[in-house]
Amino acid sequence: MTAEQAPSTSGVPTLALDPYGRDHQGEAATLRGLGPVVRVQLPGDVEAWSVTRHDLLNQLVMDPRISKDWHNWGAMERGEIPDDWPLIGMVKVTNMVTADGAEHRRLRKLVSQTFTARRVEDLRPGTEEIVANLLDALPSHADQDGTVDLRKHFAYPVPMQVISDLFGIPDHERPELREAVDKIFRSDLSPEVVGANQIAVYQLLARVVELRGKERGDDLTSALISAREAEPDALTQEELVGTLLVMLSAGHETTLSLIVNAVRALLTHPDQLALTRGEEDMWPAVVEETLRWEAPIGNFPFRYPTEDIEVAGITIPKGDPIMAPYSAVGRDAQQHGPDAGSFDIAREQARHLAFGHGAHACLGAPLARLEGTIALRELFARYPDMILGAVPGTLEPVPSMFSNSVTTLPVRLGRPAS
């Protein structure tokens, strides 16, 4: 981790976050150690706030004085954030994630009506088939030394196939979609690449909406279009495309990192893996503990006070951005006990914030949990002798201050179960 600490003008300590995300948990521990409210420095010398305690962040996201709308970012409105700022693509967007109040409810309503618990449960057989087919193919991907990159050949395609099927993405569009989604959460790309990627992914999803408008299917995009026709004021065409982008990118990235992080945790904690043997009911606990202990999204931007607010005795001025540090609050000892730093699937689970909370809680959380539970259960049932194919500390992190995972996950599968 590369970080600089210095007192800010308000006397609150400042930590420069690593845009390459080389040590999410080390950085998270430093944040907690600096106090409940910390200033963070982002690329381009842009500063924000970070609230590092679970209870305080939980209260913050429920506070009606806190906005998700980037128009309430004072520096943005004053023209102090340039259009080529490296993180602009994560912030200056208009969709249900960056909307408040009635506007947020309007944008979220159609998705809530169509992306129901029943629709998620209906995805179970298809998800199980996708997982089974990928597990069948894993041995064919082994290198000469017998290692398989589980991220590339399993953790990545599971959510990508599930969500592409869910949204009716045509097969010929899927390679470009994969490439575009990969770039969304990166924080090491040039502004030119970020801008070009935004244009490309919007154009791709506009083509999907146009196609599904002409050829309806049993997919969520078709359902959203039909619902929109029944209630024309619900979503504009641009808003529909933006909604698809949010759900596709967040739905894929979160589940991918969840699977990678869970496998890595279990293979480096054999005592915890042993607790799952013959205990199918333990897999949901594996998912929840992974979400807490190694949150798929380490940090998430931004919320903005619409007036000066006080948090833990510190005043955060109106219009200043506040980052949600999910890696930090996931191991907050005040919420999760003195052993919060330990991976323990048998612990009494206290609520975590990996999927957010309140009005903006992740709509795709039930699907991510379904995919993660099925993928992990079936993977370890098929390959019970699987071991990590690299020294844990040598795995390269995804270059992002947002995504918290590793770029490859080499494993040796061992003999498949008979």
Side-chain angles (χ1 to χ4, degrees):
M1 176 180 64
T2 58
E4 299 173 2
Q5 294 174 220
S8 70
T9 54
S10 64
V12 179
T14 298
L15 180 71
L17 298 184
D18 180 6
Y20 298 96
R22 284 167 286 202
D23 186 6
H24 273 270
Q25 292 302 337
E27 202 166 68
T30 301
L31 280 170
R32 288 193 303 271
L34 289 173
V37 180
V38 180
R39 293 284 282 175
V40 292
Q41 188 178 71
L42 307 175
D45 294 328
V46 173
E47 287 201 348
W49 297 85
S50 188
V51 176
T52 69
R53 300 293 187 266
H54 174 103
D55 62 332
L56 294 177
L57 185 61
N58 188 58
Q59 294 169 28
L60 190 78
V61 301
M62 300 292 288
D63 193 322
R65 300 171 299 168
I66 304 296
S67 170
K68 287 282 286 180
D69 186 347
W70 57 268
H71 292 93
N72 287 310
W73 185 357
M76 183 77 77
E77 290 300 284
R78 293 190 297 269
E80 297 169 6
I81 308 299
D83 288 338
D84 63 354
W85 185 50
L87 306 185
I88 199 75
M90 285 286 291
V91 177
K92 198 175 181 180
V93 292
T94 302
N95 52 47
M96 61 183 172
V97 174
T98 59
D100 299 319
E103 180 69 359
H104 173 253
R105 290 190 293 273
R106 180 182 70 83
L107 293 171
R108 190 171 168 121
K109 180 180 177 182
L110 274 192
V111 181
S112 301
Q113 290 175 343
T114 54
F115 192 41
T116 61
R118 179 175 179 178
R119 183 179 284 273
V120 171
E121 185 56 33
D122 287 345
L123 294 171
R124 183 180 296 274
T127 302
E128 290 174 339
E129 181 179 1
I130 288 170
V131 167
N133 291 337
L134 290 169
L135 291 176
D136 289 343
L138 275 183
S140 68
H141 297 298
D143 294 336
Q144 287 186 345
D145 64 358
T147 61
V148 175
D149 182 356
L150 203 70
R151 176 189 170 97
K152 179 179 180 180
H153 299 295
F154 184 68
Y156 188 101
V158 167
M160 181 56 72
Q161 289 188 34
V162 170
I163 209 158
S164 294
D165 290 348
L166 172 64
F167 284 95
I169 308 296
D171 289 344
H172 69 276
E173 298 279 21
R174 295 187 183 191
E176 184 179 347
L177 178 66
R178 287 195 294 268
E179 183 178 350
V181 169
D182 281 351
K183 295 176 181 176
I184 289 174
F185 287 89
R186 295 275 294 270
S187 52
D188 65 329
L189 302 177
S190 70
E192 293 77 18
V193 171
V194 171
N197 190 62
Q198 271 194 296
I199 293 170
V201 73
Y202 268 91
Q203 290 176 339
L204 187 157
L205 293 176
R207 294 195 298 269
V208 173
V209 169
E210 181 181 6
L211 174 64
R212 290 296 160 235
K214 297 174 181 176
E215 303 175 12
R216 303 295 167 89
D218 185 23
D219 58 81
L220 192 58
T221 302
S222 296
L224 286 169
I225 293 171
S226 296
R228 176 174 173 261
E229 290 173 347
E231 193 175 348
D233 294 335
L235 290 175
T236 66
Q237 183 81 352
E238 182 179 358
E239 288 168 345
L240 178 57
V241 172
T243 297
L244 293 183
L245 176 58
V246 167
M247 297 192 69
L248 279 163
S249 56
H252 174 258
E253 185 67 26
T254 300
T255 308
L256 158 63
S257 296
L258 165 61
I259 295 171
V260 168
N261 293 348
V263 172
R264 188 160 51 112
L266 289 170
L267 293 183
T268 53
H269 295 80
D271 60 321
Q272 298 300 303
L273 180 56
L275 296 177
T276 69
R277 302 300 190 192
E279 299 291 341
E280 189 168 319
D281 291 345
M282 289 300 294
W283 290 108
V286 171
V287 168
E288 297 308 314
E289 179 67 347
T290 302
L291 289 167
R292 177 200 73 80
W293 187 72
E294 200 69 88
I297 304 298
N299 298 290
F300 196 76
F302 283 131
R303 285 177 165 82
Y304 316 93
T306 56
E307 61 183 72
D308 291 356
I309 63 169
E310 186 173 299
V311 181
I314 294 171
T315 298
I316 299 179
K318 173 184 176 180
D320 274 13
I322 304 171
M323 181 91 79
Y326 294 137
S327 288
V329 300
R331 300 191 186 186
D332 178 8
Q334 293 180 11
Q335 172 71 5
H336 300 288
D339 64 342
S342 300
F343 180 72
D344 180 5
I345 65 174
R347 75 168 63 243
E348 182 178 350
Q349 289 287 343
R351 188 167 59 80
H352 58 73
L353 295 175
F355 287 125
H357 182 53
H360 284 87
C362 178
L363 273 170
L367 178 57
R369 288 182 164 108
L370 176 77
E371 292 175 88
T373 300
I374 292 172
L376 294 166
R377 181 191 69 210
E378 298 305 315
L379 171 66
F380 283 95
R382 179 76 67 91
Y383 299 106
D385 299 325
M386 181 172 57
I387 60 172
L388 199 61
V391 177
T394 65
L395 298 175
E396 183 179 349
V398 172
S400 173
M401 65 174 58
F402 307 117
S403 294
N404 177 29
S405 184
V406 289
T407 58
T408 62
L409 186 62
V411 300
R412 299 180 190 276
L413 297 172
R415 293 178 61 85
S418 55

